[in-house]
Amino acid sequence: MKLTGLTHSTLCLAITLASLSAVAGVTDQDISDSGKRNDQIVVNGLNQAGQRYSTLDTLNTSNVKELRPVWALSFGGEKQRGQQAQPMIKDGVMYVTASYSRVFAADARTGKKLWQYDARLPDGIMPCCDVINRGVALYGDLVIFGTLDAKLVALNKDTGKVVWKKTVADYKAGYSISAAPLIAKGKLITGVAGGEFGVVGKIEAYDPSNGELLWTRPTVEGNMGYVYKDGKAVENGISGGAPGKTWPGDLWKTGGAAPWLGGFYDPTTDSLLFGTGNPSPWNSHLRPGDNLFSSSRLALNPEDGSIKWHFQTTPHDGWDFDGVNELVSFDYQDGGKTIKAAATADRNGFFYVLDRTNGKFIRGFPFVDKITWAKGLDKDGRPIYDDAHRPGEPGAEKKGTSVFVAPSFLGGKNWMPMAYSQDTGLFYVPSNEWGMDMWNEGVTYKKGAAYLGAGFTIKPLNEDYIGVLRAIDPKTGKEVWRYKNYAPLWGGVLATKGNLVFTGNPEGYLMAFDAKTGEKLYQFNTGSGVIASPVTWEMDGEQYVTVLSGWGGAVPLWGGEVAKRIKDLDQGGMIWTFKLPKELVAKH
Amino acid sequence: MRWLPTIVCWVLCLCVPLAVDARVRPYDDIVASGVLKVAVYEHFAPYSFEENGKARGVDVDLAQALADSLGLKLELLWIVPGEKLDDDLRNFIWKGHYLRPGVLADLMLRVPYDKDYRNQRNDVGELANEQVVMFGPYQRERWQVVHDTRRLPKVDSIGVFRLHRIGVELESVPSFYLSTVFGGQLSANTDHFPTTAAAFAAMQGEKVDAVMGLRGELDWLLFKAKDAELKESDNTYPNLGQPTWDIGMAVHESNRQLSNAIDMQVEDMINDGRMAKLFEAYGVHYELPGLYQDLE
């Protein structure tokens, strides 16, 4: 009896806590329900699968031309560089990150700024590609994000004041964080970006309430993973079992493979799905072997970070094909059977459909028009290399020998997330058609020393467009429709039950397409390039759409032919929010 | 994503090839300000580093001597090295970096003085570094092996590293070289470290028997180690593309008046032996750059 009584009071306490936290902020239930609830956006990717799909259909193909801007908010200051965040919405408040590691909270109805947090960034940070950030995680009372100097910062959702701050990695070694952190089973999960020299990529879990490290998992074969118990590191197995299986010499100690774009949590298989960057050193001739787990997708156990399976898209990468692009979970029917699949559109130009229960390759096909570095994929999804398109060994050949590789190292698709429509069963993939010339430079220097480097230049494949938004059937590999864009596409995509697909372009337009036909139904000029991911939600019975505007990111960082196409684009830094007014819904 | 920073320089080259950046300070403005801003690499002993909060090193002392000779106060800008020299020239001499708006150096040290590099063309056939003047060679640098004679008495040829472990810095020519020379036979005995100093420490800790790196860095590490059993070898390096190169300086292309003034000082310092003394103070062999070797 005594025991029962205890259980009863514990239960009461648990219920009280649960209801308290429901008032206080984002709960685990909110996160699990993210795919069903339209009144809030509490995860990156709109649902846990990362599908960027909304079940809202108030706004649809027949009335989208009535979409109206209702407010805009400037990020202010002189820090108008690339804006890539996906906004979050909770209890009528929008939470969004901006360039230079800033966070803004705004009234979602009016755009009134509620608070702003500016991370104080040290001198000497060396971010790879602009000063972008891709958004926050919400949990309980906290708004959590990663900074350019590789810290996690948790802010109070009402005041914007720092609750805790934690260094994930040393920015002096070249590390930074630009991806949105992930909440999975009450844990805060993050990867890290950068780290060119003497480092190994890692995925880590933290206690969201205080920033305590829970586990760390290196993404290069041979390195030990740890779980932390009472502040003590306990060995939890070597990634890949042992060193030296797919790396020569001691290069596994410094193999790169940074998981810099974050990932998703799939509750149906209880797995964290993350991608990893390319291997180090850059010269592939120095590291014969597959170089696991570079340029791969990994499924991790969220409890302790152990690797359940991996799928490597570009073994022995020699072209800078990061494997970080998002792996989106989806189910489909095949002969009466439900297939638990996951799909990714890789830098290397191939679209992969995997069995997300075990990482096995189901099928793969090119999603861009031209791939030269591989002749195709074998039955296991491994690329069949074309050795004429691997850059030669530096120093071993005459300088100036150049190889042409398509896609370019910026990828058939880069960071910008695709969307999956549960209605059409199609993926909407923001892609780019470009290749690159690569050659070994005769004379190069690095920090006062002679060096062997590679030169390269990106070349558009077509005169009239680089960007292509594609509707792709994951079951057949068939492209259902395409929309061509003059400048490269660099923003995320959103699909809705209203048979709509939204994305933005560097020319500054937020655009809406018919999800079935690709017909462009709406566009609005936001005044600067759109390279962020649009979202939609419902408030006061009306459907809203928001996207950030602000040109920058990696695209403006290169020259050659591509520079000509973007030279007239100007910087910015705004949140744009639209809605379909009630009275106009009735009209249609 | 690692190639991105490298290409940044091309953008400006293409769009405004001859525009002078407003932040480049002409010689008269530099003199009027009373300050010479000199960029040197951070954490790069014996050339430029901080010790107990104080800037030290051959390049720091040289920068001080040059500022003194012009009657100016020295202000140091610390360079976080990019992937290649082009990045550093872009960040400190002609474009600046978006994280430090408006900040450029008047002068950058430790810029190789190499005709081929200076004349390098970019992908569209234009000079890759046309906004930069590279001048004032003041040192010849080279690759070098240091070995612990207790475990490796003599390095007759690089072939001994079939049997002995050697430490190198990651992503460096010694790493590329030892991993590939003789068909990769030395690769298994080549250990990688984040820095040459870490490789040197591993040799002192008996984890490797030798280290290959920049002679200047190794001279300094030997100077500090004070261990007579650690010696520089005099073996040859078959198939090592570029065993030696010269080190000079850079200013913006619009600032030749400054480079001319400094050039004269550098020449004087080399001719009257002051330059050699700067190096000797850190235990570094002073080897004349090719320009002066040819004169002798």
Side-chain angles (χ1 to χ4, degrees), chain B residues 7-295:
Chain B
I7 38 177
V8 178
C9 66
W10 298 351
V11 177
L12 217 103
C13 292
L14 286 168
C15 301
V16 275
L18 292 172
V20 174
D21 195 295
R23 294 160 302 178
V24 174
R25 305 197 306 164
Y27 185 64
D28 291 349
D29 289 6
I30 293 169
V31 171
S33 76
V35 173
L36 184 69
K37 296 183 189 178
V38 182
V40 294
Y41 287 105
E42 67 165 21
H43 309 309
F44 196 24
Y47 298 125
S48 42
F49 58 106
E50 280 183 304
E51 203 170 62
N52 305 321
K54 198 172 163 286
R56 289 199 67 199
V58 174
D59 288 352
V60 170
D61 295 348
L62 173 59
Q64 188 63 59
L66 294 172
D68 289 348
S69 72
L70 298 172
L72 299 171
K73 240 184 91 189
L74 174 65
E75 182 185 328
L76 290 173
L77 302 182
W78 296 98
I79 304 170
V80 180
E83 193 161 335
K84 290 195 227 169
L85 173 61
D86 309 62
D87 303 330
D88 307 331
L89 292 171
R90 179 189 69 245
N91 290 338
F92 286 88
I93 293 298
W94 61 267
K95 187 180 181 191
H97 194 281
Y98 52 77
L99 289 164
R100 298 179 306 272
V103 175
L104 284 177
D106 303 317
L107 173 72
M108 176 174 156
L109 298 186
R110 205 139 293 276
V111 176
Y113 182 80
D114 176 332
K115 193 156 53 90
D116 290 338
Y117 177 75
R118 205 160 56 227
N119 293 335
Q120 193 154 278
R121 304 265 160 182
N122 65 19
D123 61 311
V124 286
E126 292 160 341
L127 282 175
N129 284 296
E130 66 178 342
Q131 301 204 59
V132 181
V133 181
M134 294 173 229
F135 72 103
Y138 59 93
Q139 180 199 1
R140 172 156 283 187
E141 183 69 280
R142 60 172 70 232
W143 299 116
Q144 179 68 49
V145 166
V146 168
H147 56 110
D148 187 328
T149 56
R150 283 165 291 231
R151 298 191 299 284
L152 174 56
K154 212 159 171 296
V155 180
D156 288 325
S157 96
I158 210 83
V160 300
F161 298 113
R162 273 184 282 238
L163 302 169
H164 290 270
R165 303 198 75 76
I166 181 165
V168 295
E169 181 174 323
L170 189 75
E171 291 276 11
S172 69
V173 163
S175 160
F176 283 28
Y177 177 65
L178 292 168
S179 301
T180 56
V181 74
F182 303 150
Q185 287 183 55
L186 312 183
S187 162
N189 271 335
T190 305
D191 283 353
H192 289 84
F193 297 89
T195 59
T196 299
F200 194 91
M203 176 172 68
Q204 292 175 305
E206 304 189 9
K207 294 198 172 63
V208 294
D209 299 335
V211 175
M212 182 173 171
L214 282 181
R215 185 176 65 179
E217 283 191 276
L218 292 171
D219 281 348
W220 160 253
L221 292 164
L222 285 172
F223 180 67
K224 285 202 306 179
K226 302 196 185 350
D227 179 346
E229 300 299 324
L230 303 178
K231 287 207 167 74
E232 296 193 338
S233 69
D234 54 6
N235 59 287
T236 57
Y237 300 90
N239 299 319
L240 177 62
Q242 195 182 5
T244 67
W245 63 96
D246 290 344
I247 294 290
M249 338 181 155
V251 298
H252 191 268
E253 172 277 328
S254 65
N255 224 347
R256 284 176 198 271
Q257 205 180 344
L258 176 63
S259 66
N260 290 341
I262 287 174
D263 228 351
M264 277 165 44
Q265 296 299 333
V266 171
E267 202 176 323
D268 284 353
M269 288 178 72
I270 289 176
N271 289 332
D272 67 16
R274 275 181 294 154
M275 189 68 81
K277 282 212 176 68
L278 292 184
F279 286 82
E280 283 156 14
Y282 295 88
V284 179
H285 282 104
Y286 183 61
E287 187 174 353
L288 282 172
L291 188 69
Y292 295 86
Q293 290 193 12
D294 297 344
L295 287 176

Side-chain angles (χ1 to χ4, degrees), chain A residues 84-131:
Chain A
Q84 292 193 344
Q86 178 213 294
M88 298 282 215
I89 308 282
K90 175 68 180 168
D91 297 331
V93 179
M94 180 179 296
Y95 302 93
V96 64
T97 58
S99 53
Y100 291 92
S101 304
R102 292 177 292 166
V103 186
F104 288 75
D107 184 323
R109 289 181 175 82
T110 63
K112 183 181 180 322
K113 187 167 85 179
L114 302 175
W115 54 258
Q116 172 179 348
Y117 172 81
D118 291 32
R120 190 176 300 164
L121 298 171
D123 291 341
I125 55 171
M126 289 285 272
C128 143
C129 318
D130 202 359
V131 286

Side-chain angles (χ1 to χ4, degrees), chain A residues 42-377:
Chain A
V42 296
V43 299
N44 182 38
L46 268 66
N47 58 25
Q48 282 185 296
Q51 293 173 341
R52 298 189 177 277
Y53 170 78
S54 166
T55 56
L56 283 172
D57 60 0
T58 314
L59 184 66
N60 55 49
T61 47
S62 67
N63 60 21
V64 66
K65 61 177 178 295
E66 305 285 4
L67 192 61
R68 302 287 157 87
V70 287
W71 59 260
L73 172 65
S74 171
F75 292 132
E78 291 164 5
K79 297 177 170 178
Q80 296 195 330
R81 297 195 68 93
Q83 313 300 342
Q84 292 193 344
Q86 178 213 294
M88 298 282 215
I89 308 282
K90 175 68 180 168
D91 297 331
V93 179
M94 180 179 296
Y95 302 93
V96 64
T97 58
S99 53
Y100 291 92
S101 304
R102 292 177 292 166
V103 186
F104 288 75
D107 184 323
R109 289 181 175 82
T110 63
K112 183 181 180 322
K113 187 167 85 179
L114 302 175
W115 54 258
Q116 172 179 348
Y117 172 81
D118 291 32
R120 190 176 300 164
L121 298 171
D123 291 341
I125 55 171
M126 289 285 272
C128 143
C129 318
D130 202 359
V131 286
I132 57 97
N133 186 282
R134 301 194 168 96
V136 299
L138 300 181
Y139 197 56
D141 280 348
L142 300 176
V143 178
I144 308 168
F145 83 116
T147 64
L148 286 167
D149 58 340
K151 291 185 170 67
L152 285 171
V153 182
L155 307 170
N156 178 280
K157 74 176 174 61
D158 300 317
T159 63
K161 298 274 183 264
V162 175
V163 177
W164 57 260
K165 198 187 276 193
K166 185 88 180 180
T167 298
V168 174
D170 183 5
Y171 73 87
K172 289 179 190 149
Y175 283 112
S176 67
I177 301 180
S178 52
L182 169 72
I183 300 287
K185 296 181 91 178
K187 294 183 174 66
L188 176 68
I189 318 284
T190 186
V192 285
E196 299 292 341
F197 310 108
V199 298
V200 161
K202 59 180 182 177
I203 298 167
E204 296 190 323
Y206 291 83
D207 181 336
S209 66
N210 56 18
E212 241 169 67
L213 183 59
L214 301 175
W215 54 255
T216 181
R217 171 53 51 192
T219 52
V220 176
E221 173 191 283
N223 294 279
M224 180 63 77
Y226 294 90
V227 292
Y228 293 82
K229 287 190 179 127
D230 306 321
K232 278 206 195 105
V234 180
E235 289 189 355
N236 187 36
I238 292 172
S239 295
K245 293 200 273 188
T246 63
W247 291 87
D250 68 339
L251 288 175
W252 57 273
K253 291 179 185 167
T254 51
W260 57 264
L261 195 50
F264 297 122
Y265 170 66
D266 173 36
T268 63
T269 59
D270 192 26
S271 298
L272 301 169
L273 302 175
F274 273 67
T276 60
N278 55 299
S280 163
W282 70 269
N283 174 3
S284 68
H285 298 275
L286 296 182
R287 45 174 170 77
D290 280 359
N291 314 139
L292 290 172
F293 297 95
S294 65
S295 300
S296 299
R297 303 303 185 285
L298 299 176
L300 267 53
N301 180 343
E303 296 305 333
D304 66 356
S306 51
I307 298 175
K308 293 178 165 185
W309 54 256
H310 74 273
F311 180 84
Q312 192 173 33
T313 45
T314 312
H316 194 220
D317 165 64
W319 307 271
D320 211 4
F321 289 147
D322 282 325
V324 294
N325 288 0
E326 74 286 4
L327 186 57
V328 179
S329 301
F330 71 110
D331 293 345
Y332 68 91
Q333 300 299 317
D334 188 18
K337 240 178 81 188
T338 300
I339 308 294
K340 284 186 178 176
T344 191
D346 199 89
R347 293 291 177 81
N348 70 21
F350 288 102
F351 191 98
Y352 298 83
V353 180
L354 307 178
D355 180 335
R356 71 178 190 270
T357 64
N358 57 19
K360 291 271 183 292
F361 176 73
I362 296 175
R363 72 183 68 85
F365 45 84
F367 67 94
V368 291
D369 293 337
K370 186 164 186 151
I371 293 178
T372 66
W373 66 278
K375 295 167 187 159
L377 301 176

Side-chain angles (χ1 to χ4, degrees), chain A residues 461-519:
Chain A
L461 297 177
N462 302 287
E463 283 298 313
D464 49 338
Y465 65 96
I466 296 175
V468 185
L469 177 65
R470 295 174 147 97
I472 290 174
D473 185 338
K475 291 198 264 190
T476 62
K478 200 173 151 261
E479 180 184 298
V480 178
W481 57 259
R482 64 164 67 186
Y483 171 81
K484 296 177 195 168
N485 200 75
Y486 182 67
L489 289 176
W490 213 253
V493 183
L494 165 71
T496 77
K497 197 172 185 61
N499 191 32
L500 292 171
V501 171
F502 287 89
T503 196
N505 65 10
E507 288 88 340
Y509 289 96
L510 172 70
M511 303 176 288
F513 302 88
D514 183 313
K516 293 198 184 93
T517 66
E519 186 193 347

